[in-house]
Amino acid sequence: GAGVSQTPSNKVTEKGKYVELRCDPISGHTALYWYRQSLGQGPEFLIYFQGTGAADDSGLPNDRFFAVRPEGSVSTLKIQRTERGDSAVYLCASSLTGEYSGANVLTFGAGSRLTVL
Amino acid sequence: GEDVEQSLFLSVREGDSSVINCTYTDSSSTYLYWYKQEPGAGLQLLTYIFSNMDMKQDQRLTVLLNKKDKHLSLRIADTQTGDSAIYFCVLRRARNQGGKLIFGQGTELSVKP
């Protein structure tokens, strides 16, 4: 696609429920990133995929959070037993490569706003 | 995060220059970025600077880097109402520290006509 697409754009759920958030990166981009943005804060890194594998998952806050990218394209962020503190905008970004370079530009999606009641 | 500090708000009049400031703690960062976020839209990369540069100019945007003081600024000349948004100062951690992007809290720029 032309940009990074995230669905749903808004998700309201109840405490304790399971949630899946989907990211469709730009076609051909091998690197995919998940960030979480709480109200009034900057985005915080969660996980980075290079192809199908998670190259860095050091930002996942606990074992309730998990992400997959089985075919190296679409990624799903999964949150089990949601808590009110999980409420945030979850941002996905992709880049052509995972190369360590200033020119390796990340393109962000509009985000999925998760509200846990 | 606490590694990157920005003032939260800035208000200017249309046509004036805006200067958004940022201080950081990680001296090993080799790339420093400015991202713009508008309501309902994705984060948009405005510009970036490599740590061995002290200035970069791109049309209305001027980035200044003072590596000694760990201070980065973004100057927007002839600010327009369409420039109203949140601006994030972003560092890229060194390669041996994972290379991830670290965002500041963001500065909300309000441009009054």
Side-chain angles (χ1 to χ4, degrees):
Chain A
V4 177
S5 174
Q6 292 189 247
T7 55
S9 55
N10 271 289
K11 174 72 177 177
V12 179
T13 191
E14 292 179 343
K15 180 172 176 295
K17 299 287 189 185
Y18 169 80
V19 164
E20 287 190 353
L21 306 175
R22 175 188 165 111
C23 173
D24 208 331
I26 292 173
S27 178
H29 279 194
T30 63
L32 184 145
Y33 309 77
W34 283 99
Y35 279 77
R36 177 169 72 173
Q37 186 175 19
S38 300
L39 191 63
Q41 303 294 319
E44 291 181 302
F45 171 80
L46 294 177
I47 186 169
Y48 153 53
F49 286 90
Q50 183 59 49
T52 60
D56 184 351
D57 65 358
S58 61
L60 294 178
N62 52 59
D63 61 7
R64 295 187 298 106
F65 288 75
F66 190 70
V68 295
R69 195 185 185 200
E71 296 176 1
S73 177
V74 170
S75 176
T76 304
L77 178 66
K78 307 178 182 211
I79 310 174
Q80 297 178 321
R81 305 182 305 279
T82 52
E83 299 177 357
R84 292 195 182 89
D86 299 335
S87 296
V89 176
Y90 289 81
L91 297 168
C92 177
S94 69
S95 64
L96 188 59
T97 73
E99 177 192 342
Y100 185 76
S101 155
N104 180 28
V105 176
L106 273 65
T107 302
F108 282 83
S112 293
R113 181 178 296 278
L114 174 66
T115 303
V116 182
L117 300 176
Chain B
E2 65 275 8
D3 296 325
V4 183
E5 297 279 344
Q6 300 177 241
S7 53
L8 296 182
F9 301 100
L10 176 65
S11 181
V12 300
R13 292 230 170 258
E14 193 172 21
D16 288 350
S17 290
S18 307
V19 180
I20 301 171
N21 293 300
C22 167
T23 56
Y24 59 93
T25 57
D26 185 359
S27 59
S28 69
S29 298
T30 49
Y31 298 99
L32 303 100
Y33 306 79
W34 285 101
Y35 274 80
K36 177 182 180 182
Q37 187 175 44
E38 295 176 281
L43 284 157
Q44 175 194 354
L45 176 66
L46 288 179
T47 186
Y48 73 92
I49 190 167
F50 188 55
S51 61
N52 68 355
M53 301 167 65
D54 51 23
M55 187 182 96
K56 181 177 181 181
Q57 186 148 6
D58 183 0
Q59 299 182 335
R60 292 191 297 124
L61 304 179
T62 303
V63 178
L64 295 177
L65 173 62
N66 182 329
K67 202 173 175 187
K68 174 176 167 291
D69 293 340
K70 297 178 191 172
H71 182 269
L72 184 73
S73 68
L74 173 68
R75 178 177 180 271
I76 306 173
D78 187 26
T79 314
Q80 303 297 306
T81 54
D83 295 324
S84 293
I86 299 175
Y87 290 80
F88 290 96
C89 174
V90 186
L91 310 185
R92 188 155 199 182
R93 287 243 190 264
R95 188 199 301 264
N96 62 4
Q97 294 176 17
K100 58 176 71 73
L101 298 184
I102 307 297
F103 285 75
Q105 279 186 290
T107 298
E108 183 174 350
L109 175 64
S110 173
V111 183
K112 301 189 185 317

